[in-house]
Amino acid sequence: MTDPAQNPRFFALIPCAGTGSRANTALPKQYQPLAGFPMVLHTLAAFAAVPRIADLLVVVAPEDHFFEQQSAPCLIANCGGATRAASVFNGLLELFEQGATPADWVLVHDAARCLVTPAQINALIDACEHDEVGGLLAHKLADTLKCESGGRVAATLERSDKWLAQTPQMFRIGALIEALRQAGDQVTDEAGAMEAMGHRPKLVPGDAQNFKVTYLQDFALAEIILRSRT
């Protein structure tokens, strides 16, 4: 019998229970059409094109019926919580129900980062599969960084060591569950929960195009990029 700790699998988890209030759209932003398809389907297609991903789990809100009308290469769990951290935590427990082990890896990815590519996902796995902690895609900051107070510049910050955190973020399922359990609901990403446990996640260079569609103006840029790829 193979030892799961020596032969870990790779799972993907997509929290998809948000309402997208900052985008001010009629539908939750992850279901808004982009380049002919709902945004989240572009996200799922990227992960479906990575053969090493054993299973792809999408966590939606309990009352969400979107995927009942869609054919998508994923498992659906109606266990979304009030926060991203709660949705991820519940999704990790669901992965255990589906047969995952604490030693398996999970790649957590934002549904609204619909421009991620299979190459970027594979690069993260390659960089982290033998790492003690795991890591995340991130983009080195290029712009000058200002600190604000009362609508005015308070300071200019050193940027040489600053990175913009992206997703996927890849950690062992057991370690991430414990980190989220201790960090609570307000942690904004999985790396932050691991950092609170004293870990130092690995930074894996990503791409500026792997941005999170957040505001209304982001949709036009994402549409242009998606259409340019086809």
Side-chain angles (χ1 to χ4, degrees):
M1 181 178 296
T2 58
D3 182 353
Q6 298 299 320
N7 296 278
R9 293 168 294 173
F10 304 98
F11 292 87
L13 193 162
I14 313 293
C16 193
T19 60
S21 57
R22 287 179 292 181
N24 195 29
T25 53
L27 295 171
K29 65 180 178 182
Q30 63 268 26
Y31 302 145
Q32 285 289 122
L34 274 179
F37 297 94
M39 183 194 304
V40 68
L41 296 190
H42 293 289
T43 306
L44 298 182
F47 282 88
V50 179
R52 286 185 285 181
I53 299 295
D55 260 324
L56 173 55
L57 179 72
V58 179
V59 177
V60 300
E63 69 280 2
D64 190 329
H65 303 290
F66 172 82
F67 284 95
E68 293 177 6
Q69 286 79 45
Q70 302 291 330
S71 176
C74 59
L75 303 170
I76 305 299
N78 290 85
C79 59
T83 64
R84 173 203 166 86
S87 294
V88 172
F89 184 83
N90 293 343
L92 294 173
L93 297 180
E94 180 64 25
L95 285 178
F96 278 153
E97 293 292 322
Q98 299 292 335
T101 73
D104 287 328
W105 292 100
V106 62
L107 285 77
V108 182
H109 186 69
D110 300 320
R113 288 189 191 270
C114 58
L115 299 170
V116 70
T117 65
Q120 291 163 6
I121 298 167
N122 276 310
L124 180 66
I125 295 174
D126 289 341
C128 295
E129 63 177 326
H130 301 300
D131 193 82
E132 292 183 358
V133 177
L136 64 152
L137 288 184
H139 189 60
K140 200 164 181 62
L141 188 68
D143 298 315
T144 299
L145 188 62
K146 301 293 185 182
C147 184
E148 175 264 347
S149 177
R152 293 184 176 274
V153 173
T156 299
L157 304 182
E158 172 59 44
R159 71 182 179 191
S160 63
D161 61 345
K162 303 299 189 300
W163 293 66
L164 299 173
Q166 299 181 338
T167 64
Q169 301 193 1
M170 175 176 158
F171 301 103
R172 301 276 186 178
I173 295 177
L176 184 54
I177 282 182
E178 185 57 30
L180 288 171
R181 194 191 309 275
Q182 294 198 28
D185 277 359
Q186 299 310 307
V187 67
T188 56
D189 71 350
E190 295 67 49
M194 296 294 286
E195 291 161 40
M197 292 281 286
H199 299 298
R200 297 180 63 194
K202 186 173 186 177
L203 290 165
V204 180
D207 188 291
Q209 289 189 0
N210 185 26
F211 64 87
K212 186 178 181 181
V213 177
T214 303
Y215 300 106
L216 196 58
Q217 59 266 34
D218 296 336
F219 285 84
L221 179 56
E223 175 96 18
I224 290 169
I225 295 171
L226 285 169
R227 292 197 178 278
S228 73
R229 292 177 179 179
T230 57

